[in-house]
Amino acid sequence: MSAHRDFAAEARSAGHLRHRQVGASKPDSPLRPGYAGNDVKGYVEERRGLGGGPELLVTKTVNSAFYGSPDLDAWFKEAGVQQFVVAGIQTNMCVETTARMGGNLGYEVLLPLDATYTFDLAGPFGWHRSADELARATAVSLHGGGFATVVTTAGLPAACR
């Protein structure tokens, strides 16, 4: 979790994006409104208003921040954003989906892998993958597939333009 704090503390951006899962379709979801999992983390909240550009809160009910409200793609285009950073949870779900869509829409996407988090997952046929295996698979798919440039938080400043 310290990489998340370091990343948030060092962030310099033309824009600030926060997004949260609504979870209304899943009444038991820890990400539903009014539950601690839906709150913006304190170390992120402390950064509000400190960036050099506008801030946006995207509310979403699916994996991609591009299918939220307000329209992230339209906001990016209006602001002239060409590059953005994706961080957060869940690496192989929301983070990966947002990065893939951003790449498909023509943005330069940066993904500091140590500023993401995921969980072990069970799949079909009795298959199980550890969080580390899932994070590595996401990194290989996104980077190798040309959807995003996968970096570390330490390497992020050099990758930003």
Side-chain angles (χ1 to χ4, degrees), residues 43-59:
Y43 55 86
V44 175
E45 191 66 42
E46 291 168 6
R47 296 286 304 152
R48 287 192 69 202
L50 299 180
E55 294 183 5
L56 180 69
L57 171 62
V58 175
T59 301

Side-chain angles (χ1 to χ4, degrees), residues 109-120:
V109 181
L110 301 175
L111 191 146
L113 191 61
D114 57 336
T116 69
Y117 186 81
T118 195
F119 318 95
D120 296 351

Side-chain angles (χ1 to χ4, degrees), residues 3 5 8 21-22 39 52 83 87 90 97-99 109 112 116 128 131-132 148:
R5 287 189 185 94
Q21 184 82 22
V22 171
D39 294 339
Q83 180 187 65
Q90 191 174 353
T97 304
T98 298
V109 181
T116 69
H128 291 83
D132 187 58

Side-chain angles (χ1 to χ4, degrees), residues 4 86 88 91 111-117 135-136 138-139 150-153:
H4 293 282
V86 181
T91 310
L111 191 146
L113 191 61
D114 57 336
T116 69
Y117 186 81
R136 288 172 186 246
T138 291
V150 178
V151 296
T152 62
T153 52

